[in-house]
Amino acid sequence: MPLDSATVAALAEQLESCQLRARDTVKITDAHPGMTLADAYAVQDAILARKRDRGTRVVGWKAGLTSPGKMKQMGVSEPCFGFLVDEFVVPDGGDVPMADLIHPKVEPEICFVLKRALKGPGCHIGAVLAATDFVLPGIEVIDSRYRDFKFDLASVIADNTSAARFVVGGRAVAPDALDLRTIGVVLEKNGKPVAMGAGAAVLGHPAAAVAMLANHLGARGQELPAGALVLSGGVTEAVAVEAGDQVCLRVQGLGSVAVQFR
Ligand code: 0L1
Ligand code: MG
């Protein structure tokens, strides 16, 4: 049975409060086992509305759970989508205070910046590549608000797909200068490689994740505007970090981007 609007608002308040105070909670489907994915996106929308009411700006979108490694790691079977706001931005080489987060992990991402709007339905890899101004490397810092990162798909969607921080940097390159399926990524922690993979790990082609996101938004009467930044999903499993860790992502042809935790 769909959640009523008071319950959606209460769950948004609960999850956003956990994010802002760096406190965890049990997954919300424990109390609401009948929650649908539409309910989950309604909670996510309500979290965004709370942030917008405080003057927070949307600066991008993300696809999550887009690689077999991530789906297996988290025990779910389909991608999910979330928003990125200004409070999540970390400059390249910047610091992330651990006190602001619960149990962060990092993911290597191929990021797209659009020169033209993209609107589903019917969006496909070709449309994404034609609308992309450039791609660049990014590190997403995810921080599930759920205890021990234990959730199901509805719970994680409501929790804005664990979005917490992100950093983009490296070289911005037009997508036709690269083969995004075979592009190699190496994620290093404290100077040692800890995860590696190729772009094809993201739904066969990272642009496929952007197309899915555009189709998801299109079904809700929304679009990705010109200038949108999109994180297309972790190329590898996520890697846990702790205070003192330095993380560097190197992407073939796109240079590197870094972040540190203190
Ligand atoms: O960006 C992601 O792939 C994360 C999606 C949410 C699942 C998780 O917290 O690992
Ligand atoms: Mg991600």
Side-chain angles (χ1 to χ4, degrees):
M1 193 163 80
L3 300 184
D4 61 40
S5 57
T7 306
V8 168
L11 291 171
E13 197 277 334
Q14 176 189 344
L15 289 172
E16 203 211 5
S17 162
C18 285
Q19 182 234 315
L20 294 173
R21 294 176 191 181
R23 299 275 182 271
D24 68 7
T25 183
V26 295
K27 67 182 192 300
I28 57 176
T29 47
D30 287 355
H32 301 281
M35 204 174 132
T36 64
L37 297 190
D39 291 329
Y41 279 110
V43 174
Q44 187 191 112
D45 289 345
I47 293 173
L48 178 55
R50 291 172 62 85
K51 291 186 180 301
R52 281 190 154 133
D53 284 348
R54 293 197 303 270
T56 302
R57 285 183 51 236
V58 172
V59 297
W61 287 262
K62 62 166 281 189
L65 302 173
T66 48
S67 72
K70 276 288 311 189
M71 288 190 209
K72 187 165 172 234
Q73 183 182 33
M74 305 322 301
V76 301
S77 57
E78 60 180 280
C80 54
F81 307 101
F83 62 81
L84 302 171
V85 286
D86 50 13
E87 70 194 54
F88 297 170
V89 177
V90 179
D92 188 6
D95 284 344
V96 175
M98 287 295 285
D100 294 347
L101 301 172
I102 305 163
H103 44 196
K105 298 181 184 182
V106 290
E107 297 187 330
E109 305 254 352
I110 307 291
C111 308
F112 290 68
V113 175
L114 302 182
K115 59 187 171 193
R116 285 199 294 277
L118 268 178
K119 185 164 187 182
C123 192
H124 50 75
I125 290 174
V128 173
L129 294 177
T132 297
D133 196 356
F134 53 83
V135 295
L136 73 175
I139 298 169
E140 184 181 17
V141 181
I142 56 169
D143 192 37
S144 175
R145 270 54 70 168
Y146 298 120
R147 196 151 303 152
D148 302 325
F149 262 87
K150 291 213 170 80
F151 48 70
D152 48 28
L153 191 58
S155 294
V156 74
I157 287 169
D159 185 29
N160 190 27
T161 68
S162 309
R165 300 286 183 276
F166 71 93
V167 47
V168 294
R171 293 175 56 217
V173 175
D176 58 0
L178 299 160
D179 181 348
L180 291 172
R181 294 166 306 162
T182 56
I183 196 167
V185 314
V186 178
L187 186 68
E188 297 173 357
K189 187 164 84 168
N190 303 324
K192 296 197 177 113
V194 286
M196 56 198 82
V202 177
L203 298 177
H205 192 304
V210 182
M212 270 188 92
L213 169 60
N215 290 328
H216 162 78
L217 292 175
R220 312 173 87 228
Q222 299 168 23
E223 65 179 21
L224 289 169
L229 169 73
V230 180
L231 273 56
S232 59
V235 177
T236 70
E237 75 279 12
V239 174
V241 289
E242 53 191 41
D245 282 344
Q246 299 192 322
V247 174
C248 177
L249 171 64
R250 301 181 195 282
V251 180
Q252 188 182 6
L254 296 179
S256 63
V257 58
V259 66
Q260 50 207 357
F261 294 83
R262 64 171 165 77

